Amino acid sequence: MTENIPREVVIIADDIRSMRIRGAGRIARAGAEALKKAAQLYQGPSSDFRKYMERVASLIVSTRPTAVSLPNAVSYVMRALEAEGDLREMVEAVVRRADEFIESSLKAVRRIGVIGARRIMDGDVILTHCHSTAAVQVIVTAHRMGKKIRVFSTETRPKFQGRITYRALREAGVDVTQIPDSAVRSAMKMVDRVVVGADTVTSDGAVVNKVGTSQVALAAHEARVRVFVAAETYKFSPASAAGVPVIIEERDPSEIVSREWLEKHKGIRVYNPAFDVTPPEYIDAIVTEIGVIPPKAAIMVLKERFGELKPPDRLVLAARDHDEAGVYY
Ligand code: RI2
């Protein structure tokens, strides 16, 4: 699959797959960057350029199956090839659209920070799960506005992305306490608001996010704590409106237990889903760069962002085709 694809581009794909580059927004920007690099490094004839870029696009989209931000970013950049032009013009168009995506994505995160921070009250205790740049932006912006807040940040096993959140909030001067995932229900008694990110928002307003999010939402629901999701609009899934299910990525058992342990205890099965689904009933609002919406308004965002809902893009579908064995939502 990687034949004749430049090494720099294959490295980005590997980094996304192995989660050295992670986070739904970051992988989307890295995907756009990979397409840009691929275009700039292309050395073949102009007649083969489109085919070559499609192979690169498929490689990028195949790296992780759940976050729709990735195929949405790739589709956005690949639209550059719909216009006629010579090779130089096509390369320029890809570079332009990749830069456009990256810039607007970073801007969206900043905007979400401002909009979301308005929903954080002085004195709030916030709970967050995993590491979401958008959720952290909301919390840090509220802190910079002078609101006195305290944060509980879950560890987020098995990959401990919660430690990234902990460090980011500490560095920003936020009062943050790390808790094991299993302490969420106990801690919820002290919490006023939950703020988490999203990998995919479906047309019915369900939020696919790091595994454990739905338990956080359930505990919040029980304790009557409001749940906010911070998500850029490119995390909304046009394919879901056409009935295409979201694949929940299952990762290697070695993220849970060591290979040696597995070797020693032959036959033991490990289930390691990377994401889960929080139904819209457990979410109070989704904070996007175009405003705060109730989850049930997700379909409106999809119409606004992707126009009339036509059958989903081939690349979005391709992302959902490569793992038949997964769990679907
Ligand atoms: P931002 C992450 O996925 C987490 O689930 C996080 O909540 C979500 O992406 C959104 O992150 P992973 O890559 O785009 O850690 O807000 O599996 O940074």
Side-chain angles (χ1 to χ4, degrees), residues 71-184:
N72 277 350
V74 168
S75 297
Y76 183 89
V77 178
M78 290 296 281
R79 231 159 286 143
L81 300 178
E82 282 169 8
E84 288 304 316
D86 60 22
L87 181 59
R88 190 179 55 81
E89 286 165 336
M90 285 192 286
V91 170
E92 277 173 11
V94 169
V95 170
R96 199 168 43 245
R97 280 189 82 88
D99 286 342
E100 233 168 64
F101 179 84
I102 293 168
E103 208 188 304
S104 71
S105 150
L106 292 170
K107 208 162 134 195
V109 175
R110 288 195 295 273
R111 184 94 195 109
I112 286 172
V114 174
I115 296 175
R118 294 186 185 128
R119 305 301 287 260
I120 308 289
M121 301 300 137
D122 195 28
D124 268 358
V125 178
I126 297 163
L127 187 142
T128 190
H129 182 57
C130 194
H131 173 253
S132 153
T133 316
V136 166
Q137 188 74 18
V138 169
I139 296 167
V140 170
T141 307
H143 170 73
R144 287 191 185 135
M145 284 173 172
K147 298 182 182 181
K148 278 209 174 347
I149 47 179
R150 282 199 300 131
V151 178
F152 285 112
S153 153
T154 60
E155 285 182 312
T156 320
R157 284 169 184 263
K159 289 186 76 70
F160 296 103
Q161 293 99 318
R163 292 176 183 169
I164 310 172
T165 302
Y166 181 83
R167 278 199 303 273
L169 293 177
R170 274 287 302 238
E171 272 163 29
V174 177
D175 178 347
V176 54
T177 305
Q178 183 102 113
I179 55 167
D181 304 333
S182 44
V184 162

Side-chain angles (χ1 to χ4, degrees), residues 18 138 187 252 279 283 315-316:
S18 65
V138 169
D252 202 81
I283 298 162
L315 283 162
V316 177

Side-chain angles (χ1 to χ4, degrees), residues 70 92 95 113 122 135 138 160 172 174 199 208 214 216-217 241 282 292 297-298 308 321:
L70 184 59
E92 277 173 11
V95 170
D122 195 28
V138 169
F160 296 103
V174 177
D199 291 79
V208 185
S214 68
V216 170
Y282 294 92
V292 180
E308 273 317 295
D321 277 347

